Amino acid sequence: MRASLATSIAVTCAAVLALPVSLVAPAAATVPPEVAALPPGPERLPGSTQSLPLAPLDGSDRGFGSGTGPDTGEQGLARRDVRPFSLLGVVWDDPAAALHGTVQVRTRATGGGTWSPWQDVETHNDEHGADPETAEGAGRALKGSTAPLWVGDSDGVEIRVRGEEQLPEGLRLELVDPGTDPGATVPQVRTAAVLTGPTAAEAAASAVNSQLAPYGAAWIPALSKAATEVTFRHFPEWVGPARPAQPEKTTQTAQTTQTAQTAQAAPVAAAPAKPYIGPRPKIITRKGWGADEKLREKGFVYTKSIKAAFVHHTATGNNYTCSQAPSVLRGIYRYHVQSSGWRDFGYNFAVDKCGNIYEGRAGGVAKPVLGAHTLGFNTNSMGVAVIGSYEKSSPPAAVLTAVARLTAWKLGLHGVNPNSTTYLTSGGGNLYKKGTKVKLRTISGHRDGFATACPGARLYSKLGTARTTSAKYQGRL
């Protein structure tokens, strides 16, 4: 038992010594060899977006019904060859306008002649995004948009859009090529004359996680609960509360009585209380999934605290492998920023169907980064997006475990019980008027703050399990 205790203490102390005590990045950082070996910044992470304007369909192109002549209630594109892409969506000029109707697409796999069946694109996407009247929410670059749909490597497309009422103006089909996975490119050796380190945006995105992992790290390593409890106090985000320290059991003897009397005469510092926080999970960084930092706006925007976590699904479909998840994220990121006009990836974190956790919006995984995920309730909250569609499909157990582990740690940094309730003030939405103080679960579904199907009925029904498991990870149950 003594040997086990000594080993446990040694492991915990080693974890503490391995962490810096400041969140402030050094003025200069050494460029890792693998970064220096990459091609110059602008060519590191290729990817592209094709933007094709939709047009009224004539009788030969219509797929929803019969008729001749143009019809402003039905637009689309006939089958055509395009440059390779893997993710698509539809955008339009006015972000305040809604697309009431149906969007369907079919695609052709790259290098093959077979076309997919018609697939529905989720049209209700206005419930995502920045809060009204914020700098991002009032940005001039904003556009209305559908949810993105992952279709895999494709080089042909056909689309049809039918409106239940007048369609928004400026409809365009966005075809996104997410680019190459970071690990798929063989580094090229270059001479010292052309060596380049990380760009300013890349350095900034990595520096905000410098207390958790080295500069340029592809992931933030997991910690045991013991190591997390010891090290988390270095974070200014932590606000408590903590569990009272439990006194050791003793045998009532003359010697222990004398010791107790001596302690009363000369009091000593009390043992530090243990925090309610779960073990830090492994988190794949933006560097790890290949985020092109030059796409997003410069700088980071923070909220005051994290009082609740909103769970979402991306509605991008489930036809992806876990090895493709980084590509899906790069596609969503490019769609959010370049097609929809957001400042960055909307969600704070993402989880794939194998339970891998990814850093989302830049600014630091331990910090209260202001996201664009739950319209009206982005302030003092975090958004966790499960990659896929879970209205009719049940989420794998690995997804629920990942959500529980992530929230146990991140909510624990802010002293929040994941199996409790809190109050948030609405920034405006279709359920609660601006200024309304709303009581919400500390792990809520998107639909709890906005009238939407997100995160899908099957995932939403499992959030109770995630809350209980998260509380257990924190040591509350």
Side-chain angles (χ1 to χ4, degrees), residues 64 71-75 98-103 123-124 161-168:
F64 291 108
D71 181 355
T72 56
E74 192 169 328
Q75 297 186 30
L99 196 167
H100 295 291
T102 304
V103 177
T123 59
H124 301 291
V161 180
R162 166 175 279 184
E164 297 171 356
E165 52 189 56
Q166 189 71 25
L167 290 171

Side-chain angles (χ1 to χ4, degrees), residues 30-104:
T30 301
V31 180
E34 63 272 20
V35 174
L38 291 171
E43 303 300 327
R44 287 179 186 168
L45 298 168
S48 64
T49 301
Q50 303 170 68
S51 187
L52 308 177
L54 303 189
L57 296 176
D58 59 27
S60 61
D61 292 329
R62 291 180 181 180
F64 291 108
S66 60
T68 59
D71 181 355
T72 56
E74 192 169 328
Q75 297 186 30
L77 293 172
R79 288 189 182 187
R80 63 186 57 208
D81 297 336
V82 293
R83 297 194 306 274
F85 70 97
S86 297
L87 179 140
L88 58 79
V90 174
V91 301
W92 52 93
D93 295 340
D94 184 1
L99 196 167
H100 295 291
T102 304
V103 177
Q104 293 182 321

Side-chain angles (χ1 to χ4, degrees), residues 284-354:
I284 299 170
T285 64
R286 290 170 64 90
K287 174 77 173 181
W289 58 263
D292 188 345
E293 299 297 348
K294 70 178 182 291
L295 295 181
R296 63 174 174 82
E297 289 187 16
K298 294 180 180 179
F300 313 116
V301 181
Y302 298 97
T303 186
K304 291 182 179 180
S305 183
I306 300 296
K307 299 173 66 176
F310 285 98
V311 178
H312 305 255
H313 67 170
T314 59
T316 46
N318 300 323
N319 296 322
Y320 73 95
T321 64
C322 292
S323 64
Q324 291 176 319
S327 295
V328 179
L329 291 177
R330 292 195 306 277
I332 296 173
Y333 172 44
R334 188 174 284 271
Y335 184 74
H336 280 179
V337 176
Q338 292 198 319
S339 300
S340 305
W342 299 4
R343 77 181 319 272
D344 192 358
F345 188 84
Y347 309 103
N348 299 102
F349 296 93
V351 174
D352 68 26
K353 58 187 176 184
C354 290

Side-chain angles (χ1 to χ4, degrees), residues 68-301:
T68 59
D71 181 355
T72 56
E74 192 169 328
Q75 297 186 30
L77 293 172
R79 288 189 182 187
R80 63 186 57 208
D81 297 336
V82 293
R83 297 194 306 274
F85 70 97
S86 297
L87 179 140
L88 58 79
V90 174
V91 301
W92 52 93
D93 295 340
D94 184 1
L99 196 167
H100 295 291
T102 304
V103 177
Q104 293 182 321
V105 296
R106 54 183 172 188
T107 56
R108 183 185 62 205
T110 299
T114 304
W115 286 77
S116 72
W118 286 105
Q119 299 184 73
D120 291 324
V121 178
E122 176 58 62
T123 59
H124 301 291
N125 196 47
D126 57 334
E127 65 268 23
H128 298 86
D131 289 347
E133 299 183 13
T134 62
E136 183 177 5
R140 288 180 293 178
L142 285 180
K143 293 185 179 298
S145 61
T146 67
L149 178 69
W150 177 260
V151 295
D153 294 339
S154 306
D155 60 8
V157 69
E158 181 178 8
I159 181 170
R160 59 192 189 189
V161 180
R162 166 175 279 184
E164 297 171 356
E165 52 189 56
Q166 189 71 25
L167 290 171
E169 294 184 1
L171 289 173
R172 304 182 72 87
L173 173 64
E174 303 287 291
L175 304 176
V176 180
D177 170 15
T180 308
D181 284 318
T185 303
V186 178
Q188 299 176 359
V189 177
R190 292 178 280 118
T191 64
V194 292
L195 286 177
T196 59
T199 65
E202 289 170 341
S206 183
V208 286
N209 289 319
S210 62
Q211 188 179 10
L212 310 177
Y215 285 113
W219 68 85
I220 294 166
L223 286 181
S224 68
K225 183 170 175 60
T228 303
E229 288 177 349
V230 172
T231 60
F232 87 114
R233 293 180 186 278
H234 295 303
F235 295 93
E237 286 78 15
W238 179 73
V239 295
R243 288 174 285 171
Q246 298 296 322
E248 295 183 2
K249 294 181 179 179
T250 58
T251 304
Q252 188 66 27
T253 62
Q255 183 177 1
T256 56
T257 301
Q258 182 178 4
T259 301
Q261 292 173 346
T262 303
Q264 290 178 357
V268 294
K274 287 187 176 182
Y276 286 114
I277 188 170
R280 188 181 76 200
K282 175 183 175 181
I283 302 173
I284 299 170
T285 64
R286 290 170 64 90
K287 174 77 173 181
W289 58 263
D292 188 345
E293 299 297 348
K294 70 178 182 291
L295 295 181
R296 63 174 174 82
E297 289 187 16
K298 294 180 180 179
F300 313 116
V301 181

